[in-house]
Amino acid sequence: MELQRTAVVKLSVPNERQDDLKRTMDTFRDASQRFADRGWQGDDSGYVITSRSRLQPLVYDDIREDTGLHSDLTVAAVNHASDALSGCVDRMKEGERTSKPVFTSNTTVYNTNAITYFDGYCSLAAYGSGRVHAEYVYPDDSLQAEYMEGDEWTKQGAKLRYDCQSDTYYLHVSVKQEREDSSEGAESRTVLGVDRNVDGYLAVTSTGAFIGNADLLNHKRREYERRRNRLQQTGTRNAHLTIQSIGDTFANWSEDFLHQASKRLVKEAASQDCSVIVFEDLKRIRDRISGASKFQQWAFRELKRQAEYKARAHGIAVESVHPAYTSQRCSHTNCGFTHEDNRDGDEFACQKCGKELHSDYNAARNIAHRYVQNRLKSGSGRATNHLALKSGTLNGNGDYSPSTV
Ligand SMILES: [Zn+2]
């Protein structure tokens, strides 16, 4: 099994090289934009060009000639643009309206040719006199040093981010490690169902864990949008800079918020010995969260994405099921009565057996149940006979008891 992590390390950049690094970052952003513009313009048949190998020869030489950007960084810019264009095309296929990728963030992508890692520091390709050598700055009790120092973790590419508010460079390094597989071939699987919500709790599990305050996330987003709109009306250069900076701050905050939530989700799964975490398939999640904003949809996707890579480290798989009726069906053992009157906001009361549960907890149990049923129906392997739905952490009546608030 392969473990993957991202080490985030603050860099100490020598004063005399700050400008070189900043200029490299600005040029990298412009180069990514030129590739994206060209890809968006399309091929002879008018299709957006997403393939890096097709995109690269179209603008590469021009960019190198105009800017003198390091060849590996120019290649990274193609990749950066092609990822963004692929994302656009995916959204178009989903029937969403999409516009051309626009790069605004202070980020440079370094592949392993453009960055070299040493103990205590790295060297980065940049403008000016040779590579920039920047020392790592670790906080006291940091895991980051463990990732960065020695040979235990293999360091791959990195993203260099600049935070204008604190005038600081951070390096986000992908690291990986091979671990012996312990969970593969396990025959009995315990399933953790997860219900995601636009309000109340962001995620509720079939074991009764209530995770993340979705209202807080929405509140922070609205606050940010209000400030941004006000500043946009001002229109000054200063306002523009502030917009960028509050945008970065909010992006960091929401990423971190989701990291806390996904971490707790995976911890819950691990502590309950679950081998699978099951979400609802978002592409079909029309009925219950049809009012979800683009931002909320992003948050749902991001939560799952983060849970996926964190779960991998524990040998836990992440799957999804069709969401139909998961909020209307009674999850009580041997009942399964499905009716829209069963649910009233946060409260679920089965019209047939009388079972009362928190709605989200009920939905999470149904999500796990559906996964188990699908496996049984598909007859996938010997494991199916041992599938189990975990509900043991709840009280005897099956009532929810929020383990985390
Ligand atoms: Zn019932």
Side-chain angles (χ1 to χ4, degrees):
M1 182 178 55
E2 189 181 85
L3 300 192
Q4 295 210 343
R5 293 281 194 280
T6 303
V8 181
V9 193
K10 190 168 153 179
L11 292 184
S12 161
V13 178
N15 276 337
E16 67 275 16
R17 300 304 305 273
Q18 296 260 353
D19 289 346
D20 291 336
L21 215 50
K22 191 69 185 39
R23 184 176 154 219
T24 307
M25 191 169 268
D26 292 341
T27 313
F28 175 83
R29 184 176 49 230
D30 293 346
S32 305
Q33 192 63 55
R34 278 174 73 176
F35 281 118
D37 290 349
R38 183 59 193 86
W40 189 256
Q41 198 184 315
D43 59 17
D44 293 339
S45 327
Y47 289 107
V48 173
I49 305 166
T50 56
S51 143
R52 45 198 71 178
S53 57
R54 285 175 61 209
L55 196 51
Q56 180 165 335
L58 298 177
V59 216
Y60 181 88
D61 288 341
D62 288 347
I63 290 177
R64 293 269 289 138
E65 200 164 305
D66 294 349
T67 66
L69 185 64
H70 189 283
S71 58
D72 285 309
L73 293 177
T74 315
V75 171
V78 186
N79 295 344
H80 196 43
S82 124
D83 285 348
L85 290 162
S86 302
C88 289
V89 170
D90 286 349
R91 288 194 293 280
M92 281 188 240
K93 286 181 185 158
E94 292 291 319
E96 289 178 36
R97 277 224 302 213
T98 311
S99 54
K100 187 180 77 179
V102 176
F103 298 104
T104 54
S105 72
N106 288 314
T107 303
T108 316
V109 181
Y110 284 87
N111 61 29
T112 45
N113 293 323
I115 184 169
T116 311
Y117 304 100
F118 302 94
D119 277 350
Y121 74 102
C122 64
S123 82
L124 299 153
Y127 283 114
S129 50
R131 288 187 165 217
V132 170
H133 290 224
E135 282 181 21
Y136 306 141
V137 183
Y138 302 118
D140 281 347
D141 54 343
S142 128
L143 257 179
Q144 315 302 328
E146 222 170 277
Y147 295 142
M148 295 302 294
E149 307 294 331
D151 300 328
E152 216 173 296
W153 293 85
T154 309
K155 289 168 274 295
Q156 302 167 286
K159 284 180 181 168
L160 180 67
R161 297 219 164 107
Y162 175 68
D163 178 45
C164 11
Q165 258 186 346
S166 58
D167 186 24
T168 310
Y169 284 96
Y170 289 95
L171 196 62
H172 297 235
V173 188
S174 307
V175 297
K176 65 172 187 180
Q177 185 185 104
E178 282 300 326
R179 282 265 171 98
E180 293 214 357
D181 220 319
S182 56
S183 66
E184 213 159 33
E187 294 209 349
S188 89
R189 313 179 99 195
T190 305
V191 178
L192 187 78
V194 181
D195 179 59
R196 285 169 289 183
N197 301 285
V198 290
D199 49 20
Y201 294 95
L202 181 68
V204 178
T205 72
S206 56
T207 49
F210 289 67
I211 295 168
N213 182 345
D215 297 327
L216 175 65
L217 184 64
N218 295 333
H219 169 75
K220 286 268 190 184
R221 172 73 189 183
R222 280 195 302 272
E223 209 171 49
Y224 157 64
E225 282 175 346
R226 262 202 303 274
R227 278 194 73 193
R228 190 191 55 192
N229 294 343
R230 258 203 318 271
L231 287 159
Q232 264 162 356
Q233 282 164 11
T234 319
T236 60
R237 184 180 146 70
N238 224 343
H240 180 71
L241 290 174
T242 313
I243 288 175
Q244 244 184 16
S245 144
I246 63 169
D248 286 349
T249 306
F250 176 72
N252 287 339
W253 183 88
S254 49
E255 278 274 330
D256 185 58
F257 177 89
L258 293 168
H259 271 297
Q260 302 301 331
S262 58
K263 207 193 292 178
R264 279 167 62 185
L265 206 52
V266 172
K267 209 171 149 194
E268 175 70 13
S271 71
Q272 304 285 340
D273 261 338
C274 294
S275 50
V276 192
I277 300 174
V278 185
F279 290 91
E280 291 168 297
D281 185 351
L282 267 189
K283 287 172 194 150
R284 311 179 186 198
I285 199 161
R286 299 282 178 229
D287 54 342
R288 231 163 25 79
I289 62 152
S290 54
S293 67
K294 287 273 178 280
F295 171 70
Q296 286 162 331
Q297 291 176 29
W298 168 81
F300 285 174
R301 279 198 306 271
E302 182 63 12
L303 180 71
K304 180 171 177 236
R305 189 189 69 79
Q306 292 183 3
E308 256 159 2
Y309 80 75
K310 286 177 182 142
R312 212 180 296 143
H314 296 268
I316 298 170
V318 172
E319 308 272 3
S320 35
V321 293
H322 198 293
Y325 305 114
T326 44
S327 58
Q328 298 179 11
R329 179 185 181 275
C330 172
S331 65
H332 190 45
T333 323
N334 298 329
C335 179
F337 179 66
T338 303
H339 198 281
E340 57 182 327
D341 291 347
N342 282 350
R343 186 193 176 183
D344 183 10
D346 280 350
E347 286 161 34
F348 182 94
C350 180
Q351 304 297 300
K352 192 175 168 199
C353 75
K355 188 82 199 160
E356 290 181 16
L357 296 161
H358 189 287
S359 299
D360 300 338
Y361 167 54
N362 179 64
R365 283 165 50 121
N366 281 328
I367 290 164
H369 176 264
R370 174 153 298 159
Y371 177 79
V372 173
Q373 290 302 311
N374 288 350
R375 297 274 302 181
L376 282 173
K377 269 186 249 163
S378 73
S380 12
R382 294 167 298 157
T384 49
N385 293 333
H386 301 275
L387 284 168
L389 187 63
K390 190 94 179 183
S391 55
T393 60
L394 302 152
N395 71 25
N397 301 323
D399 296 330
Y400 77 94
S401 51
S403 56
T404 46
V405 176

